[in-house]
Amino acid sequence: MENNKIDLLIHNIGLLITMQEGDKPRTGSSMSGVGDLKNGAIAVQDGKIFAVGPEEEVRAQLAGMAITHELDAEGRLVTPGLVDPHTHLVHGGSRENELSLKLKGVSYLDILAQGGGILSTVQATRQATEEELFLKAKGSLDTMLLYGATTVEAKSGYGLTLADELKQLQVAQKLNESHPVDVVSTFMGAHAMPVEYKGREEEYVDVIIHEMLPEVKRRGLAEFCDVFCEHGVFTIEQSRRILSAAKELGFGIKIHADEIEPMGGAELAGELECISAEHLLAASNEGFAAMQRAGTVAVCLPATSFNLRAKNHARARTMIEVGVPVALSTDYNPGSSPTESMQIVMTLGCLNLGLTPEEVLTAMTINAAYAIGRADAVGSLEVGKQADIVVFNAYNLAYLPYHFGINHVNTVVKKGEVVVSAGCLCSQAFDSSAAGAAHAKAVR
Ligand code: NIG
Ligand code: FE
């Protein structure tokens, strides 16, 4: 029998930004075409968008249908749920001790070379139980949702042994099953060289290729594989070996490329047809050209450059000019980017990368969705896609990056369900209410 019921109608939307139709990443001037309309409405059925457009047209389409629940947006701005395509969500501990080192001028790579940085989080993650990792990551995922993210990528890479990498990935899987936010997993055993492999680095690369990747695949714990290609971490040749093996096994591939030194990481991303390349502050024009040819998305991480006090920024304007699709992400992690807020990234995307508010929104919706293989389901408000929707306490788009450092989210709808209301989590949307209290304990 035909379903003659609308579960949710969001009406009285002052400015509705749909991102237009299509699941291809946007490049060049099409990054500015966000499909905005005044006086809009969205009708939701079975967690998906049933109708979207001017309110009069949507209501006409619904004639004769019962509407279970109505949400008055009171003239506010409505966008697709934000997609955060690059996070290191699951980890133990925190690294506020690095702030004073940074203020003394010690560089990120020097902290790592001294056994701190990523390696100190590796210790904390190995020591943590799966339950502790779950509760801490759940707290961060709650914050991401409160700030408007409805789909989040999560990398492993703080275990660096098979068992500890699996532990992180299992936590991400459990979060995906129990939390309203969709979590897309990436295996990143090549995040740092474990201290126990000092002097026999190629052996660790072999462990990744012959032990870790096949086991992660066998257990279905990750869709993507990522490598930190950087001086003192993984070389171009090691990155090529790992990513080629991952591709062979059917993983989508990603690369942290040319963040600090120009290494040819962007060129490698193009050569291997990576779905995305991340950071890219030092990437060359040849690297951009290779990425453009391969359709690789550039995931820019301006909160990381800000927090590392980088002297330069990713050349996002050049990327857009040469036809590389640009996405934006928090890079949430305990070292280089300890923030869950996609809204601070909006501001830094405008002020430090020179993007317009429209380009910023494209970069954190449809292009971000494409970078994690979800553009067919999320990233734009169109009929048949998931009803992942944010209502902001704002009446135009520029207000979000302009008025920075606070949370503008009013309401979040995930798969048709209201999960954030008046800026607060709706507890009935969550699996276990006990987890919230336990989280407070775990992060102390
Ligand atoms: O994307 N660059 C490597 N990985 C993370 C940092 C992780 C950490 O410092 O713990 C990044 O910035
Ligand atoms: Fe990262």
Side-chain angles (χ1 to χ4, degrees), residues 75-289:
R76 292 185 175 89
L77 165 71
V78 169
T79 74
L82 305 178
V83 177
D84 192 343
H86 177 145
T87 86
H88 303 258
L89 174 69
V90 182
H91 59 261
S94 66
R95 310 220 300 262
E96 57 271 34
N97 62 307
E98 287 176 17
L99 182 60
S100 62
L101 294 173
K102 249 188 333 196
L103 293 175
K104 285 184 197 129
V106 187
S107 80
Y108 179 75
L109 287 181
D110 285 341
I111 296 174
L112 178 63
Q114 290 160 20
I118 296 177
L119 291 169
S120 70
T121 301
V122 168
Q123 274 187 357
T125 305
R126 286 179 180 176
Q127 278 160 17
T129 63
E130 201 174 306
E131 170 79 352
E132 286 165 344
L133 292 178
F134 177 88
L135 293 171
K136 180 167 160 54
K138 183 194 172 292
S140 289
L141 206 52
D142 289 351
T143 306
M144 290 172 175
L145 178 60
L146 282 165
Y147 278 75
T150 47
T151 303
V152 167
E153 186 255 17
K155 301 174 197 296
S156 68
Y158 291 117
L160 312 185
T161 65
L162 176 59
D164 290 305
E165 288 293 306
L166 293 177
K167 182 169 72 172
Q168 274 187 277
L169 291 170
Q170 274 154 206
V171 168
Q173 186 184 51
K174 283 190 186 146
L175 285 166
N176 184 43
E177 288 162 3
S178 62
H179 198 280
V181 171
D182 286 320
V183 179
V184 177
S185 284
T186 296
F187 165 69
M188 199 175 178
H191 192 200
M193 199 51 85
V195 277
E196 54 274 24
Y197 282 90
K198 206 167 170 45
R200 34 185 204 111
E201 285 78 7
E202 291 306 317
E203 277 180 47
Y204 183 60
V205 174
D206 287 336
V207 168
I208 292 175
I209 292 174
H210 300 297
E211 294 174 28
M212 294 184 176
L213 277 171
E215 189 58 22
V216 170
K217 188 75 198 169
R218 200 182 65 75
R219 294 180 185 228
L221 280 173
E223 271 175 63
F224 297 97
C225 172
D226 196 343
V227 173
F228 187 12
C229 178
E230 188 65 60
H231 278 300
V233 195
F234 291 86
T235 65
I236 283 283
E237 202 33 58
Q238 291 166 340
S239 304
R240 182 185 280 112
R241 278 183 64 207
I242 294 166
L243 293 176
S244 302
K247 196 174 171 181
E248 192 75 16
L249 283 169
F251 288 94
I253 53 175
K254 296 170 166 282
I255 180 168
H256 282 56
D258 303 322
E259 177 183 358
I260 299 162
E261 309 266 351
M263 299 247 306
E267 286 86 338
L268 183 64
E271 174 195 319
L272 298 178
E273 297 181 329
C274 288
I275 193 163
S276 69
E278 336 285 301
H279 292 290
L280 300 165
L281 273 72
S284 69
N285 290 343
E286 292 72 30
F288 291 162

Side-chain angles (χ1 to χ4, degrees), residues 274-411:
C274 288
I275 193 163
S276 69
E278 336 285 301
H279 292 290
L280 300 165
L281 273 72
S284 69
N285 290 343
E286 292 72 30
F288 291 162
M291 286 174 60
Q292 188 275 331
R293 284 194 296 274
T296 302
V297 179
V299 179
C300 295
L301 308 165
T304 308
S305 343
F306 166 73
N307 184 58
L308 293 181
R309 308 174 92 191
K311 304 251 174 333
N312 57 332
H313 300 292
R315 295 184 293 138
R317 286 251 61 89
T318 308
M319 296 174 194
I320 292 176
E321 272 161 31
V322 302
V324 173
V326 170
L328 286 167
S329 170
T330 57
D331 190 17
Y332 168 64
N333 73 73
S336 67
S337 189
T339 181
E340 291 94 343
S341 169
M342 285 294 269
Q343 291 176 58
I344 192 74
V345 176
M346 288 182 180
T347 300
L348 297 170
C350 286
L351 298 184
N352 287 351
L353 302 187
L355 303 181
T356 64
E358 289 76 16
E359 289 168 335
V360 161
L361 195 68
T362 302
M364 47 179 74
T365 53
I366 189 69
N367 283 8
Y370 183 85
I372 55 171
R374 289 293 186 279
D376 57 339
V378 299
S380 59
L381 299 175
E382 56 186 292
V383 173
K385 275 197 173 180
Q386 261 177 226
D388 292 4
I389 301 160
V390 184
V391 182
F392 285 100
N393 288 319
Y395 300 87
N396 61 71
L397 183 57
Y399 191 76
L400 302 181
Y402 151 78
H403 190 143
F404 67 92
I406 63 151
N407 189 1
H408 296 287
V409 166
N410 179 282
T411 303

